[in-house]
PDB file of all heavy atoms in Angstrom:
ATOM      1  N   ALA U 134     -10.159  61.063 -13.131  1.00 61.00           N
ATOM      2  CA  ALA U 134     -11.170  59.997 -13.159  1.00 61.00           C
ATOM      3  C   ALA U 134     -12.606  60.534 -13.268  1.00 61.00           C
ATOM      4  O   ALA U 134     -13.517  59.829 -13.714  1.00 61.00           O
ATOM      5  CB  ALA U 134     -11.057  59.123 -11.928  1.00 61.00           C
ATOM      6  N   LYS U 135     -12.810  61.806 -12.896  1.00 69.00           N
ATOM      7  CA  LYS U 135     -14.137  62.377 -12.957  1.00 69.00           C
ATOM      8  C   LYS U 135     -14.509  62.877 -14.355  1.00 69.00           C
ATOM      9  O   LYS U 135     -15.658  63.097 -14.676  1.00 69.00           O
ATOM     10  CB  LYS U 135     -14.268  63.526 -11.943  1.00 69.00           C
ATOM     11  CG  LYS U 135     -14.145  63.078 -10.479  1.00 69.00           C
ATOM     12  CD  LYS U 135     -14.300  64.271  -9.558  1.00 69.00           C
ATOM     13  CE  LYS U 135     -14.228  63.811  -8.105  1.00 69.00           C
ATOM     14  NZ  LYS U 135     -14.371  64.968  -7.142  1.00 69.00           N
ATOM     15  N   GLY U 136     -13.511  63.125 -15.203  1.00 79.00           N
ATOM     16  CA  GLY U 136     -13.768  63.633 -16.527  1.00 79.00           C
ATOM     17  C   GLY U 136     -12.700  64.556 -17.067  1.00 79.00           C
ATOM     18  O   GLY U 136     -11.675  64.775 -16.414  1.00 79.00           O
ATOM     19  N   LEU U 137     -12.953  65.069 -18.270  1.00 84.00           N
ATOM     20  CA  LEU U 137     -12.004  65.963 -18.955  1.00 84.00           C
ATOM     21  C   LEU U 137     -12.569  67.400 -19.021  1.00 84.00           C
ATOM     22  O   LEU U 137     -13.769  67.590 -19.182  1.00 84.00           O
ATOM     23  CB  LEU U 137     -11.714  65.470 -20.375  1.00 84.00           C
ATOM     24  CG  LEU U 137     -11.116  64.053 -20.520  1.00 84.00           C
ATOM     25  CD1 LEU U 137     -11.051  63.678 -21.988  1.00 84.00           C
ATOM     26  CD2 LEU U 137      -9.726  64.018 -19.915  1.00 84.00           C
ATOM     27  N   THR U 138     -11.655  68.343 -18.920  1.00 83.00           N
ATOM     28  CA  THR U 138     -12.021  69.745 -19.117  1.00 83.00           C
ATOM     29  C   THR U 138     -11.117  70.377 -20.150  1.00 83.00           C
ATOM     30  O   THR U 138      -9.977  69.934 -20.328  1.00 83.00           O
ATOM     31  CB  THR U 138     -11.957  70.538 -17.789  1.00 83.00           C
ATOM     32  OG1 THR U 138     -10.596  70.469 -17.304  1.00 83.00           O
ATOM     33  CG2 THR U 138     -12.893  69.937 -16.744  1.00 83.00           C
ATOM     34  N   ALA U 139     -11.615  71.383 -20.823  1.00 82.00           N
ATOM     35  CA  ALA U 139     -10.844  72.130 -21.809  1.00 82.00           C
ATOM     36  C   ALA U 139     -10.836  73.594 -21.416  1.00 82.00           C
ATOM     37  O   ALA U 139     -11.801  74.124 -20.885  1.00 82.00           O
ATOM     38  CB  ALA U 139     -11.462  71.954 -23.181  1.00 82.00           C
ATOM     39  N   SER U 140      -9.703  74.252 -21.699  1.00 83.00           N
ATOM     40  CA  SER U 140      -9.574  75.665 -21.455  1.00 83.00           C
ATOM     41  C   SER U 140      -8.667  76.284 -22.469  1.00 83.00           C
ATOM     42  O   SER U 140      -7.921  75.549 -23.171  1.00 83.00           O
ATOM     43  CB  SER U 140      -9.060  75.956 -20.036  1.00 83.00           C
ATOM     44  OG  SER U 140      -7.761  75.424 -19.884  1.00 83.00           O
ATOM     45  N   GLY U 141      -8.729  77.581 -22.630  1.00 81.00           N
ATOM     46  CA  GLY U 141      -7.879  78.254 -23.559  1.00 81.00           C
ATOM     47  C   GLY U 141      -8.535  79.433 -24.198  1.00 81.00           C
ATOM     48  O   GLY U 141      -9.414  80.063 -23.576  1.00 81.00           O
ATOM     49  N   GLU U 142      -8.204  79.685 -25.488  1.00 79.00           N
ATOM     50  CA  GLU U 142      -8.755  80.795 -26.208  1.00 79.00           C
ATOM     51  C   GLU U 142      -9.206  80.317 -27.619  1.00 79.00           C
ATOM     52  O   GLU U 142      -8.540  79.488 -28.202  1.00 79.00           O
ATOM     53  CB  GLU U 142      -7.759  81.938 -26.363  1.00 79.00           C
ATOM     54  CG  GLU U 142      -7.356  82.586 -25.073  1.00 79.00           C
ATOM     55  CD  GLU U 142      -6.406  83.729 -25.284  1.00 79.00           C
ATOM     56  OE1 GLU U 142      -5.732  83.760 -26.358  1.00 79.00           O
ATOM     57  OE2 GLU U 142      -6.253  84.598 -24.411  1.00 79.00           O
ATOM     58  N   VAL U 143     -10.318  80.865 -28.060  1.00 74.00           N
ATOM     59  CA  VAL U 143     -10.816  80.564 -29.427  1.00 74.00           C
ATOM     60  C   VAL U 143     -11.116  81.853 -30.120  1.00 74.00           C
ATOM     61  O   VAL U 143     -11.481  82.860 -29.498  1.00 74.00           O
ATOM     62  CB  VAL U 143     -12.078  79.667 -29.407  1.00 74.00           C
ATOM     63  CG1 VAL U 143     -11.737  78.269 -28.904  1.00 74.00           C
ATOM     64  CG2 VAL U 143     -13.180  80.289 -28.547  1.00 74.00           C
ATOM     65  N   PRO U 144     -10.912  81.917 -31.446  1.00 71.00           N
ATOM     66  CA  PRO U 144     -11.210  83.126 -32.199  1.00 71.00           C
ATOM     67  C   PRO U 144     -12.716  83.361 -32.332  1.00 71.00           C
ATOM     68  O   PRO U 144     -13.447  82.485 -32.743  1.00 71.00           O
ATOM     69  CB  PRO U 144     -10.548  82.875 -33.560  1.00 71.00           C
ATOM     70  CG  PRO U 144     -10.535  81.393 -33.691  1.00 71.00           C
ATOM     71  CD  PRO U 144     -10.342  80.855 -32.344  1.00 71.00           C
ATOM     72  N   VAL U 145     -13.170  84.545 -31.988  1.00 70.00           N
ATOM     73  CA  VAL U 145     -14.552  84.971 -32.190  1.00 70.00           C
ATOM     74  C   VAL U 145     -14.443  86.295 -32.940  1.00 70.00           C
ATOM     75  O   VAL U 145     -14.176  87.344 -32.334  1.00 70.00           O
ATOM     76  CB  VAL U 145     -15.311  85.147 -30.869  1.00 70.00           C
ATOM     77  CG1 VAL U 145     -16.736  85.625 -31.130  1.00 70.00           C
ATOM     78  CG2 VAL U 145     -15.344  83.847 -30.092  1.00 70.00           C
ATOM     79  N   GLY U 146     -14.648  86.221 -34.279  1.00 71.00           N
ATOM     80  CA  GLY U 146     -14.434  87.399 -35.102  1.00 71.00           C
ATOM     81  C   GLY U 146     -12.963  87.765 -35.094  1.00 71.00           C
ATOM     82  O   GLY U 146     -12.094  86.929 -35.367  1.00 71.00           O
ATOM     83  N   ALA U 147     -12.680  89.024 -34.802  1.00 75.00           N
ATOM     84  CA  ALA U 147     -11.279  89.479 -34.765  1.00 75.00           C
ATOM     85  C   ALA U 147     -10.667  89.349 -33.377  1.00 75.00           C
ATOM     86  O   ALA U 147      -9.514  89.725 -33.177  1.00 75.00           O
ATOM     87  CB  ALA U 147     -11.213  90.944 -35.221  1.00 75.00           C
ATOM     88  N   MET U 148     -11.445  88.766 -32.456  1.00 76.00           N
ATOM     89  CA  MET U 148     -10.930  88.656 -31.062  1.00 76.00           C
ATOM     90  C   MET U 148     -10.695  87.221 -30.689  1.00 76.00           C
ATOM     91  O   MET U 148     -11.186  86.279 -31.345  1.00 76.00           O
ATOM     92  CB  MET U 148     -11.983  89.258 -30.117  1.00 76.00           C
ATOM     93  CG  MET U 148     -12.334  90.694 -30.376  1.00 76.00           C
ATOM     94  SD  MET U 148     -13.695  91.231 -29.313  1.00 76.00           S
ATOM     95  CE  MET U 148     -13.026  90.871 -27.711  1.00 76.00           C
ATOM     96  N   LYS U 149      -9.917  87.035 -29.646  1.00 77.00           N
ATOM     97  CA  LYS U 149      -9.759  85.729 -29.035  1.00 77.00           C
ATOM     98  C   LYS U 149     -10.381  85.753 -27.655  1.00 77.00           C
ATOM     99  O   LYS U 149     -10.065  86.641 -26.860  1.00 77.00           O
ATOM    100  CB  LYS U 149      -8.302  85.333 -28.913  1.00 77.00           C
ATOM    101  CG  LYS U 149      -7.688  84.934 -30.267  1.00 77.00           C
ATOM    102  CD  LYS U 149      -6.288  84.334 -30.092  1.00 77.00           C
ATOM    103  CE  LYS U 149      -5.758  83.848 -31.425  1.00 77.00           C
ATOM    104  NZ  LYS U 149      -4.398  83.228 -31.271  1.00 77.00           N
TER     105      LYS U 149
END
Side-chain angles (χ1 to χ4, degrees):
K135 294 181 179 180
L137 298 174
T138 60
S140 62
E142 295 181 339
V143 291
V145 178
M148 302 174 57
K149 286 190 175 181

